[in-house]
Amino acid sequence: MHFQKVIRDLTVLSNIRLNDRHFVLDLMAPDPLPTMLPGQFAQILVEHSPHTFLRRPFSIHNVDYHQNTIRFLIQIKGDGTRNLSTIKEREILNVIFPLGNSFSLPVTGKVLLVGGGCGVAPLLFLARFLNQNHIHPDILVGFRTKKEVSEIESYAKYGNVQVITDDGTEGEKGLVTDHPVFQKERLDYRKIYCCGPEAMMKAVAGLARFHGIDCEVSLENTMACGFGVCLCCITPTDKGNERVCVEGPVFNTNRLNWFGS
Amino acid sequence: MHFQKVIRDLTVLSNIRLNDRHFVLDLMAPDPLPTMLPGQFAQILVEHSPHTFLRRPFSIHNVDYHQNTIRFLIQIKGDGTRNLSTIKEREILNVIFPLGNSFSLPVTGKVLLVGGGCGVAPLLFLARFLNQNHIHPDILVGFRTKKEVSEIESYAKYGNVQVITDDGTEGEKGLVTDHPVFQKERLDYRKIYCCGPEAMMKAVAGLARFHGIDCEVSLENTMACGFGVCLCCITPTDKGNERVCVEGPVFNTNRLNWFGS
Amino acid sequence: MTDLSIDIAGLRFKNPVTTASGTFGYGEEFLDFMDVGQLGGIFVKAVTGKNRDGNPYPRMAETPSGMLNSVGLQNKGVTHFCREIYPRIKNFRTHLIVNVSGSTVEEYVEVAARINELEAIPAIELNISCPNVKLGGMAFGTVPAMATEVTAAVRKVYGKVLMVKLSPNVTSITDLAKAVVDGGADAITLINTLLGMAIDVNRRRPVLSTITGGLSGPAIKPVALRMVWQVHKAVHVPLIGLGGIMNATDTIEFLLAGASAVQVGTANFIDPTVSLKIISGIDDYMQKNNFKSVSELVGALNTD
Amino acid sequence: MTDLSIDIAGLRFKNPVTTASGTFGYGEEFLDFMDVGQLGGIFVKAVTGKNRDGNPYPRMAETPSGMLNSVGLQNKGVTHFCREIYPRIKNFRTHLIVNVSGSTVEEYVEVAARINELEAIPAIELNISCPNVKLGGMAFGTVPAMATEVTAAVRKVYGKVLMVKLSPNVTSITDLAKAVVDGGADAITLINTLLGMAIDVNRRRPVLSTITGGLSGPAIKPVALRMVWQVHKAVHVPLIGLGGIMNATDTIEFLLAGASAVQVGTANFIDPTVSLKIISGIDDYMQKNNFKSVSELVGALNTD
Ligand SMILES: Cc1cc2nc3c(=O)[nH]c(=O)nc-3n(C[C@H](O)[C@H](O)[C@H](O)COP(=O)(O)OP(=O)(O)OC[C@H]3O[C@@H](n4cnc5c(N)ncnc54)[C@H](O)[C@@H]3O)c2cc1C
Ligand SMILES: Cc1cc2nc3c(=O)[nH]c(=O)nc-3n(C[C@H](O)[C@H](O)[C@H](O)COP(=O)(O)OP(=O)(O)OC[C@H]3O[C@@H](n4cnc5c(N)ncnc54)[C@H](O)[C@@H]3O)c2cc1C
Ligand SMILES: Cc1cc2nc3c(=O)[nH]c(=O)nc-3n(C[C@H](O)[C@H](O)[C@H](O)COP(=O)(O)O)c2cc1C
Ligand SMILES: Cc1cc2nc3c(=O)[nH]c(=O)nc-3n(C[C@H](O)[C@H](O)[C@H](O)COP(=O)(O)O)c2cc1C
Ligand code: FES
Ligand code: FES
């Protein structure tokens, strides 16, 4: 399936700070947005940041085709994201999108979405999409601490949300894999979608595999282009080195070499 | 004479656009400003401009020791000055100052100040300083066109201002050296202070020399450090290669090799 | 209207703006963004004798005004190129030039001979920055005698325009340029990436899996310009200049230094349409400065 | 409290942060801004046999994340240094190291012998990037045999710590490093500037009066790190690393790659106090990562 990629100057509609490290950007396009699917991402050009030479990739957090807006949930990591965090309404960002593949179309049956930290970004769009396809997912989101727990109401519109925090200040305490949903008797999902730090995704994928559940993850990677030409972002799969920005970022964990051979 | 140099974070008090290409920045220091003299300059660090690696030198346009403010008159040339032109009140600029030498202390008798375009910057401070020393200078300022003529009232406080524009839309028409003050019979100055494009300074210096008038100019130059260590900013003088940022920027034109040997 | 077309070793380019090998794929990924037929040419990514997986991840590090890569010539080999890729791209209305790589003289010769048969490919660019496996890993492009040898061997089997792309990691770029001209090169491309390294202080490890990698982007432009200018004075074949070109001004600098055409590399990642902007920027510059033909700019640097 | 002191060829530096020749004058200009006694050392600007006026203006061009200079060793000669400068600076409470330059072996030897007599100067740094006037302008630092020769000749007359500063404009930096060790170098500084060029498209002229000049600043950091790491594996003398250092993170990268100390160059122009910030930044890093002595960081890059 080919998605028409575009380069657009988008106008900042709002930049809302969620907490110390996270903010949500709403960007508006002058013309109708191209079709996009959950799991796809965009490459944002960060001007005015002397230490940011390349674009920065961010998952599409949500889309509104009526208002022509596209939303990003961003964690401040280095100069590029710090700079984006200070952008003001009406400023312009140059964005290439939609890029990459998407989470695969839902099977029937129960599904679980697992997100950790900023890895929750693509899951809101995915939850909404599943909902439109008459699936009401379970959604487990992990955060470091209560202060960083956010957007729970948004997820709640599309599924049963459960929260876990590293320090137990909200919801259960521990890592996502410590959560009761991962107790054997409850693991009756047809599919798990997961996005977050690599260690977390590997742990979730390991449990899924052990219980014979299909699992899709969205990989991070250092990207130069984001649209398939530089070959910098490869990951080893059953088909050799594949590009995370084109053949991914979403991979079925059976195709990755995470479990040895 | 040694001027204590300082590196300070100064707060933008105001940024006023004069016209398409010029703006005036007022910067405020938290503590008392060091002593400075007309002709000295500052090195401003331009952050948020990916194409501006080194600091940018600007003459001190005026100082207010009571309010701890220092003023710059800046012309937009490239990325660095364009970036400075968008800076907002309360933002911070890191500045090294005061740098370089100054116009020499006034002699008695009539003096003429000649400024072209952005070269007027150090002349306001100089005119005020002369005034404090009981000299009421003639001041000739040249601009490209009426729209760029500005701050005439400020100069008028300290001397007799005359304007000339390239296109004659205000004051006389032509280059500064076309102005009636340069007519032989009127050239009875003891000293001419001049600052502007090099070609203009050379023309003025040539006339001054022809009429046996002492002439001081403020040279521009590409600077890396601005405080004497890189040796990038030299100009040939009667003492060999001298640093424009330390032995200058003000030179008596007799010391420059502008007229052959 | 200005005349942007330029002749390189008998081949007419509609304009001097082409895209660099390894930064433009086979051009297909750019079709969403632009009409690739407006380019002077496309240097497609490196083709080797056999399939190569390239280096392990991570392959990229961002650096001040540049990036390091250690992709390592990942490609599916010349047979796959001829059978699968070539038919898909051969009708792009621009010069398609294949970047030919190898680890032995024989591999270069084999690939060049196969590409020689492809009608729609009017030229190849020998990438001699690769380490020579038979000669202890020293790159072909760092020893003049080796550079002459591989160029001459390919020259024997390749009948169309033969370009050789030089590595900047040498003491004397002019010695290498003369060496490939001696071997029969029709034109010289310069420069490939500078060898560099990045370190992650938190992990206390190199960022790249290969420890060192190739530096590209604006950071290397001063070095690239210097080499184009030095080689322009030293040899009499046309030059294709690259290294850090981001806009029309950068491009004109390379033309003035002596390049007949340029390649846009890393800039494609930041703005996939940058080449078209450069083409119109050159036209603007020429109109403003009263140049009729872009060839008037080539080597027009005034140094007295 | 961490121990920032480090030994280089028997000379103890209070910390590994020194300032690079040509970017710190004789230190005097920095007295308004900082206590230079807190530095590990100061490499004062190049001293030659006789007075040199340096190159004509313009001598500087800004480039992406860097700058080109063609100052050309402007200085008043070794006699002036010994008589006028030395007495003014000899009581700075830090190691003062003189960068010794020349155009002939004899000139290097003459300057080194004179500096040898200055009690407060514990070391010299031979700058072998200069063109050898007797040998057709080829730089001493690009031909291993020439590098050995000049080092050995200076070694004979210079009894204290002899450092040699290498040029990066070579095919094999390790060959040059081995050559100067053979000549008797106690330590190696790397890197000097990369040869580059800038062009003004409006005037269609080179920006620098000398056409080409030396590239410094963050743009060259990846190349500098790579060379430090290569040389660290190849020779067993201590290294002093530099090239584009702007902050403590950059500095730690050089230490991990194998440098025992660093020099801060171009960064001094942008922030004259940056070296002091770097010193405290290294201390922070060591505390956070449980290092007791800075020597534990030297060459501590994990490459498996
Ligand atoms: C497909 C994809 C989707 C992503 N979606 C999101 C998202 O929705 N929200 C979000 O907050 N973050 C997301 N990221 C991560 C985000 O791209 C990085 O955090 C960001 O690029 C860091 O930029 P910086 O300049 O702030 O940090 P830097 O100072 O550049 O680096 C900080 C850290 O981020 C890593 N990093 C830097 N550049 C990249 C890059 N181009 N790709 C990946 N990692 C990089 C570095 O290795 C370093 O550890 C996504 C990454 C990918 C590949
Ligand atoms: C002692 C001194 C005092 C000055 N006072 C003023 C002043 O009061 N007001 C004012 O508007 N301008 C002044 N200038 C000029 C001002 O420094 C330059 O216009 C400015 O640095 C351009 O920066 P940019 O990034 O906008 O332009 P760039 O894009 O860097 O360059 C635009 C043009 O400016 C020249 N230029 C760039 N950097 C420098 C530099 N460091 N020094 C000199 N020229 C440079 C370039 O050669 C180029 O032609 C002064 C310069 C000096 C040396
Ligand atoms: C990701 C990447 C891959 C590259 N692959 C190749 C290649 O396969 N063959 C080649 O000759 N050069 C290759 N290069 C080098 C570029 O063609 C070019 O010489 C270099 O990047 C300098 O130009 P730039 O600064 O405009 O990018 C590659 C560069 C990059 C960044
Ligand atoms: C303006 C300037 C003058 C320099 N003069 C000298 C010199 O006299 N001797 C020398 O060995 N290196 C000299 N260098 C090179 C620096 O010492 C240093 O090797 C180089 O700039 C790289 O480091 P950096 O990127 O931190 O500046 C000079 C560099 C600059 C920018
Ligand atoms: S980031 Fe360039 S191919 Fe994926
Ligand atoms: S700008 Fe560095 S010495 Fe003048």
Side-chain angles (χ1 to χ4, degrees), chain B:
Chain B
M1 186 166 175
H2 180 80
F3 286 83
Q4 166 79 31
K5 296 186 275 286
V6 298
I7 310 177
R8 284 273 187 291
D9 277 340
L10 303 182
T11 307
V12 178
L13 206 65
S14 67
N15 176 358
I16 295 170
R17 191 54 89 93
L18 299 180
N19 53 54
D20 282 4
R21 300 193 305 144
H22 298 90
F23 60 99
V24 171
L25 275 187
D26 269 327
L27 306 183
M28 193 170 65
D31 0 273
L33 291 167
T35 307
M36 40 202 130
L37 285 178
Q40 291 192 297
F41 66 99
Q43 281 272 63
I44 301 187
L45 186 67
V46 188
E47 289 175 289
H48 313 300
S49 175
H51 305 287
T52 308
F53 173 62
L54 298 165
R55 286 176 186 261
R56 295 291 187 260
F58 301 100
S59 300
I60 294 166
H61 187 43
N62 216 340
V63 191
D64 184 330
Y65 293 110
H66 299 293
Q67 303 217 349
N68 289 334
T69 60
I70 174 168
R71 177 171 292 182
F72 298 95
L73 169 63
I74 300 178
Q75 177 176 325
I76 299 176
K77 276 219 180 146
D79 283 330
T81 47
R82 193 171 309 115
N83 195 285
L84 285 177
S85 76
T86 65
I87 198 157
K88 307 238 158 44
E89 272 170 51
R90 316 183 87 139
E91 289 193 64
I92 300 291
L93 285 174
N94 187 273
V95 187
I96 306 182
F97 67 101
L99 300 169
N101 70 352
S102 60
F103 291 102
S104 70
L105 287 177
V107 288
T108 47
K110 274 179 74 183
V111 307
L112 173 66
L113 274 54
V114 185
C118 204
V120 296
L123 300 187
L124 181 62
F125 189 15
L126 174 61
R128 203 188 80 181
F129 187 75
L130 290 170
N131 231 243
Q132 287 165 349
N133 285 273
H134 315 295
I135 293 176
H136 194 77
D138 283 353
I139 304 170
L140 171 61
V141 282
F143 298 93
R144 295 211 298 203
T145 183
K146 184 187 171 84
K147 253 182 56 194
E148 302 202 340
V149 177
S150 52
E151 300 196 301
I152 298 303
E153 324 72 51
S154 311
Y155 293 97
K157 282 193 256 168
Y158 309 115
N160 314 312
V161 188
Q162 306 221 253
V163 173
I164 182 165
T165 51
D166 289 7
D167 60 3
T169 45
E170 181 151 342
E172 299 284 327
K173 174 175 176 162
L175 304 174
V176 288
T177 45
D178 297 329
H179 194 275
V181 300
F182 281 105
Q183 275 159 22
K184 201 179 162 182
E185 59 279 16
R186 304 209 198 164
L187 267 187
D188 54 352
Y189 296 104
R190 290 288 295 273
K191 188 149 194 165
I192 298 178
Y193 299 94
C194 177
C195 187
E198 188 166 298
M200 183 199 103
M201 294 194 287
K202 283 186 169 160
V204 169
L207 286 173
R209 184 182 164 90
F210 187 67
H211 294 283
I213 303 169
D214 214 35
C215 180
E216 286 185 7
V217 294
S218 173
L219 297 184
E220 283 214 11
N221 204 296
T222 44
M223 294 184 174
C225 69
F227 48 89
V229 299
C230 74
L231 304 190
C232 288
C233 67
I234 51 92
T235 198
T237 72
D238 54 3
K239 294 192 193 148
N241 280 335
E242 284 190 286
R243 295 168 295 185
V244 171
C245 71
V246 175
E247 283 79 41
V250 178
F251 290 92
N252 191 302
T253 54
N254 287 328
R255 301 198 44 234
L256 301 174
N257 67 352
W258 283 3
F259 314 106
S261 42

Side-chain angles (χ1 to χ4, degrees), chain A residues 61 73 115-125 140-143 151 155 195-196:
Chain A
H61 187 43
L73 169 63
C118 204
V120 296
L123 299 187
L124 180 62
F125 190 15
L140 171 61
V141 281
F143 297 93
E151 300 194 302
Y155 293 97
C195 187

